[in-house]
Amino acid sequence: MPNPAILTVDDDPAVSRAVARDIRRRYGDRYRVVRADSAEAALDALRELKLRGEQVAVLIADYRMPQMNGIEFLEAAMDLFPAARRVLLTAYADTDAAINAINVVDLDHYLLKPWHPPEEKLYPVLDQLLEAWTATAATATPELRVVGHRWSAPSFKARDFLARNLVPFRWVLADEPEGAELLTAAGVTANDVPLVVTADGKSLVQPTTADLAAQVGLATTPAADFYDLVVVGAGPAGLGAAVYGASEGLRTVLIERRATGGQAGQSSRIENYLGFPDGVSGLQLTDRARRQALRFGAELLSAREVVSLEDAGGARVLRFADGSSVAAHTVVLATGVSYRMLPAPGLAELTGRGCFYGSVASEAPSCKGEDVYIVGGANSAGQAAVHFSRYARRVHLLIRGDDLTRSMSSYLIDQIARIDTIEVHPRTEVVGGAGQEHLEEVTLRDTRTGETRRVDTSWLFVFIGAEPHTDWLDGAVARDGRGFVLTGPDLTRGGRRPAGWALPRDPYHLESSMPGVFAAGDVRAESVKRVASAVGEGAMAVSLVHRYLEAQ
């Protein structure tokens, strides 16, 4: 396999030669430098590399080019090499355009011209991007194929796990010729889906998420037995804690049972997060945070479920479902929440077969030309409605209240009002669902009149309530009546300290009833359910971890 390519494109011949020369001088022994003098020529080169099966590590494009500017080029190049890191060359006057590109094409870096000396301004940037790309490329399996049925819940679970963990794969229907051939070659039938076929021809029949994680290169086993900090849950709060913990020298391991990002990772567009004026997708934000945590030295364990927490004197021991364990001086609980299941009859057996909990962005293109029903009136439901409106014939947003003002941000309400294909149904709830192989209809009830009606649909997405992932903490830390972890002042109301608390001080602000165990983000009682506040609490928890460790 030829060396991966670093492609540069600039319509100024002098600049083009200079950047290619500087890159070749430092990286020419490991990477092939491809130079183009126009965006069209660069795209032609990328298409040729794609057909040859070669890899592209970094794309460097000048912003000001005729016919197609650098942002437009990078947007087109993403379709060919989505994993390539993206750099925009720009003059100081175009800095605003470069900042906007961070949201449009998930730009990794913008580089001001001139970049001399390259040892200070160019090479450190490329070193970091190439390191990140290499880490991704080492685990990527571009020819990974998933064979399954369109309405198979296990098939959906495998696809969703891979997609949310940013693992590239190709979806093959079991009743297509290629799918049938793969099933025959593996010695299984269409009843045995999902079948996952790796690039080297290995077949995984109905694999668990742990099997998938191990096969695609996601770490599942801790490298050590003892750490300074274990973070449970890789949503915004957990990622924030991992970044700050690892960056400040703590031996940190981050444990996630499904995929990094949590509920925020499923969001199609987060528009009120600081620093992203044009919004950012949950996957983009998650990927950046994950890469940042890994760069600082944090470990990330995927598809591992923690089932208990124990106080072992000076250590906190976390046990996994398989019986193994990991110990640490401190723990940050950041397990977040999950959407509540709809109690309506007929829907439980259709989960993953038309009824979905949370936004499943990978399903949006399949909804083209059809009616989609979304249950919920908070921001997550609104963001999903806007996203699905780009594909569906019509999006029906079902809410129990009179309007959206009580639970949804005003900017999102305004967006929804401007989209003709989104219809809000107030005082409406789902009371039933039916279908054979998949969801075919739902029954709606007017909460004011009690009248019911049936509507035909194959797509129902649910965003109601929030249940914390804390059953495994029963008997270990204090929780409120809904299962959220009590911390700090909530533990000492009435002037009493929590039962079993032996320290002479009160619990720190985010500290639970077990000393050295902190809670951050949505899992904490009375927390603000926003991405920014979750990240902030993750960072704050690390500062309290330091205070706890210094006092020991």
Side-chain angles (χ1 to χ4, degrees):
M1 176 71 69
N3 287 338
I6 298 175
L7 182 140
T8 73
V9 53
D10 196 307
D11 64 316
D12 186 327
V15 174
S16 179
R17 285 193 298 268
V19 68
R21 178 199 64 221
D22 288 342
I23 294 173
R24 192 175 289 112
R25 181 184 302 159
R26 173 76 169 245
Y27 307 100
D29 60 330
R30 292 162 288 156
Y31 295 89
R32 188 155 58 94
V33 180
V34 178
R35 182 167 66 90
D37 57 9
S38 71
E40 292 81 0
L43 287 175
D44 288 341
L46 290 177
R47 294 186 188 101
E48 186 174 344
L49 291 170
K50 188 73 173 181
L51 290 173
R52 292 179 187 168
E54 298 185 30
Q55 295 179 305
V56 175
V58 176
L59 300 165
I60 303 175
D62 182 47
Y63 172 63
R64 289 185 178 272
M65 294 188 292
Q67 284 79 52
M68 183 185 297
N69 66 35
I71 297 174
E72 294 166 338
F73 162 74
L74 291 173
E75 191 169 15
M78 286 172 65
D79 294 333
L80 295 168
F81 291 96
R85 303 304 174 191
R86 295 171 281 277
V87 179
L88 193 68
L89 286 177
T90 180
Y92 182 79
D94 298 320
T95 301
D96 287 344
I99 293 173
N100 290 335
I102 293 174
N103 305 302
V104 176
V105 297
D106 193 20
L107 191 70
D108 291 287
H109 199 88
Y110 65 89
L111 197 62
L112 293 176
K113 296 186 288 186
W115 57 85
H116 296 292
E119 289 78 12
E120 295 180 11
K121 298 184 179 180
L122 176 62
Y123 297 153
V125 171
L126 288 182
D127 285 345
Q128 179 180 337
L129 296 180
L130 289 170
E131 179 184 350
W133 178 84
T134 300
T136 303
T139 61
T141 52
E143 292 302 319
L144 192 76
R145 288 163 289 180
V146 179
V147 183
H149 298 302
R150 177 68 194 84
W151 297 110
S152 160
S155 298
F156 162 74
K157 184 178 180 181
R159 289 190 297 130
D160 185 53
F161 176 79
L162 293 171
R164 291 185 60 192
N165 280 285
L166 302 174
V167 177
F169 67 93
R170 189 154 58 86
W171 168 239
V172 182
L173 290 172
D175 54 4
E176 291 180 345
E178 182 183 2
E181 291 172 1
L182 290 171
L183 290 170
T184 300
V188 297
T189 69
N191 294 324
D192 299 315
V193 296
L195 168 69
V196 177
V197 183
T198 66
D200 59 4
K202 183 177 180 180
S203 298
L204 303 175
V205 181
Q206 298 181 345
T208 64
T209 53
D211 293 335
L212 281 176
Q215 190 58 49
V216 301
L218 299 175
T220 58
T221 304
D225 296 324
F226 197 88
Y227 294 84
D228 294 319
L229 171 63
V230 173
V231 182
V232 186
L239 287 166
V243 166
Y244 280 90
S247 69
E248 294 173 11
L250 298 177
R251 292 170 297 168
T252 303
V253 61
L254 175 63
I255 303 170
E256 172 55 46
R257 65 174 185 161
R258 291 191 62 192
T260 51
Q263 284 189 11
Q266 299 182 67
S267 176
S268 56
R269 205 75 180 164
I270 302 170
E271 297 195 57
N272 58 353
Y273 188 71
L274 184 68
F276 292 88
D278 295 320
V280 61
S281 76
L283 277 179
Q284 288 175 338
L285 190 62
T286 295
D287 183 44
R288 286 169 176 264
R290 178 188 59 82
R291 284 158 41 197
Q292 194 173 17
L294 293 175
R295 184 168 67 84
F296 283 126
E299 288 182 43
L300 171 59
L301 304 185
S302 300
R304 295 305 304 267
E305 183 176 5
V306 181
V307 296
S308 70
L309 168 65
E310 302 170 12
D311 182 349
R316 304 292 174 259
V317 178
L318 294 151
R319 299 200 180 277
F320 297 113
D322 64 358
S324 61
S325 64
V326 65
H329 289 301
T330 59
V331 174
V332 171
L333 303 172
T335 50
V337 296
S338 61
Y339 295 112
R340 275 194 296 111
M341 303 285 285
L342 271 177
L347 289 181
E349 54 269 32
L350 294 171
T351 301
R353 297 191 291 132
C355 178
F356 304 94
Y357 289 86
S359 177
V360 186
S362 59
E363 299 298 298
S366 300
C367 302
K368 188 172 183 180
E370 301 188 34
D371 279 22
V372 169
Y373 286 77
I374 295 176
V375 183
N379 280 9
S380 53
Q383 290 161 355
V386 172
H387 178 64
F388 280 98
S389 69
R390 301 169 188 164
Y391 303 90
R393 176 177 59 192
R394 194 158 195 82
V395 175
H396 301 268
L397 188 57
L398 313 177
I399 60 173
R400 293 176 60 90
D402 293 332
D403 55 43
L404 296 169
T405 56
R406 291 184 59 185
S407 54
M408 190 177 293
S409 297
S410 60
Y411 82 89
L412 204 47
I413 296 174
D414 293 340
Q415 277 190 33
I416 290 172
R418 292 194 296 267
I419 301 175
D420 294 336
T421 55
I422 298 179
E423 183 177 354
V424 179
H425 299 266
R427 300 176 297 279
T428 302
E429 63 180 357
V430 177
V431 294
Q436 296 299 316
E437 293 186 356
H438 62 89
L439 179 69
E440 296 174 4
E441 69 172 34
V442 295
T443 303
L444 307 180
R445 186 175 76 90
D446 187 312
T447 59
R448 184 175 53 180
T449 66
E451 294 180 359
T452 62
R453 60 189 176 96
R454 295 181 178 179
V455 294
D456 295 332
T457 184
S458 297
W459 306 99
L460 180 68
F461 297 89
V462 182
F463 300 82
I464 58 169
E467 295 181 339
H469 301 303
T470 59
D471 288 346
W472 61 279
L473 292 169
D474 189 29
V477 300
R479 299 176 294 158
D480 68 11
R482 295 183 297 163
F484 292 91
V485 177
L486 294 168
T487 61
D490 290 333
L491 291 167
T492 56
R493 286 180 180 169
R496 296 181 180 180
R497 289 174 177 165
W501 186 269
L503 298 180
R505 61 169 177 81
D506 288 343
Y508 295 137
H509 183 66
L510 300 181
E511 195 169 20
S512 73
S513 60
M514 183 184 292
V517 176
F518 302 83
D522 291 357
V523 74
R524 189 178 67 82
E526 304 301 326
S527 64
V528 178
K529 305 298 188 283
R530 288 290 185 269
V531 175
S533 62
V535 173
E537 287 194 5
M540 183 191 297
V542 171
S543 69
L544 297 175
V545 163
H546 282 294
R547 188 185 302 180
Y548 172 84
L549 292 174
E550 290 167 358
Q552 298 307 300

